Amino acid sequence: MASMNIARAVGRYQHAVNICTNRVYLTKSMVMPCNRDLQSSGSVTSGSAKVKVPVAPGRWGELAKCSRAVRAGNTVFVAGTCCPGDSAADQVRAIFDVIEPALEQCGASLKDVVSTRMIAADIRSDWEALGEAHGKVFGETRPACTLVGGELLMDWMKVEIEVTAVVDTA
């Protein structure tokens, strides 16, 4: 399902801006394998090794030397993510089309998400649409969720989302 979501998202947003500002803008180059450490380890759950999912190429990624996601032990941290879309709800769906495979590359899934943080460019106008879209993604998983208002880098950005997941290793 995730690879189908990626293909659909990449096809839809292949003309998106190809820069990274601690957010991801979908391009065909976004779909990439994990870095060598993950591939050579053979397992994302072994020991306390860190697993990093590379971020899409771009100016911010070059400056900040950041990763899309990092797994430390059984916790996965996914960096703030923005994606184009016609509405706040469309952007939430597109963002999770990027976050879901990043979690999977670190051995986690949306069901493992324990916390989400959403930064809305227009919180007063979009809070209900954002909440509803978030609820559709998570259903009964019900992670802790924080929604704050804030200025985002580009005018088309309506929301940025970052997540934390905890993988049950039992």
Side-chain angles (χ1 to χ4, degrees):
M1 178 179 153
S3 51
M4 185 168 60
N5 286 342
I6 291 173
R8 184 174 57 239
V10 168
R12 184 173 176 195
Y13 299 113
Q14 66 184 358
H15 301 293
V17 178
N18 185 18
I19 61 171
C20 172
T21 58
N22 204 19
R23 303 146 175 91
V24 71
Y25 304 95
L26 289 175
T27 65
K28 288 188 178 177
S29 63
M30 225 298 292
V31 182
M32 62 182 86
C34 293
N35 65 10
R36 283 187 180 168
D37 294 339
L38 177 59
Q39 291 175 343
S40 63
S41 72
S43 169
V44 293
T45 58
S46 61
S48 61
K50 289 184 182 174
V51 175
K52 297 179 183 178
V53 176
V55 75
R59 183 83 174 121
W60 180 253
E62 293 169 20
L63 290 170
K65 307 296 185 220
C66 58
S67 296
R68 162 71 20 233
V70 175
R71 178 173 175 164
N74 67 340
T75 305
V76 180
F77 304 91
V78 181
T81 306
C82 290
C83 288
D86 294 333
S87 67
D90 290 340
Q91 288 190 14
V92 169
R93 286 188 289 274
I95 288 167
F96 280 103
D97 284 345
V98 172
I99 288 175
E100 187 173 23
L103 287 167
E104 290 172 354
Q105 288 183 359
C106 290
S109 73
L110 288 173
K111 291 182 181 189
D112 297 314
V113 173
V114 296
S115 178
T116 62
R117 286 151 307 282
M118 299 192 293
I119 300 111
D122 188 353
I123 192 169
R124 290 185 179 151
S125 295
D126 292 336
W127 69 272
E128 288 177 291
L130 292 168
E132 185 176 343
H134 183 277
K136 286 180 180 175
V137 169
F138 287 103
E140 292 306 311
T141 301
R142 297 183 177 265
C145 178
T146 300
L147 172 64
V148 297
E151 185 176 351
L152 298 177
L153 182 65
M154 299 197 175
D155 291 339
W156 60 263
M157 295 176 179
K158 297 181 183 302
V159 63
E160 177 176 342
I161 302 173
E162 71 176 66
V163 306
T164 302
V166 177
V167 180
D168 183 11
T169 57

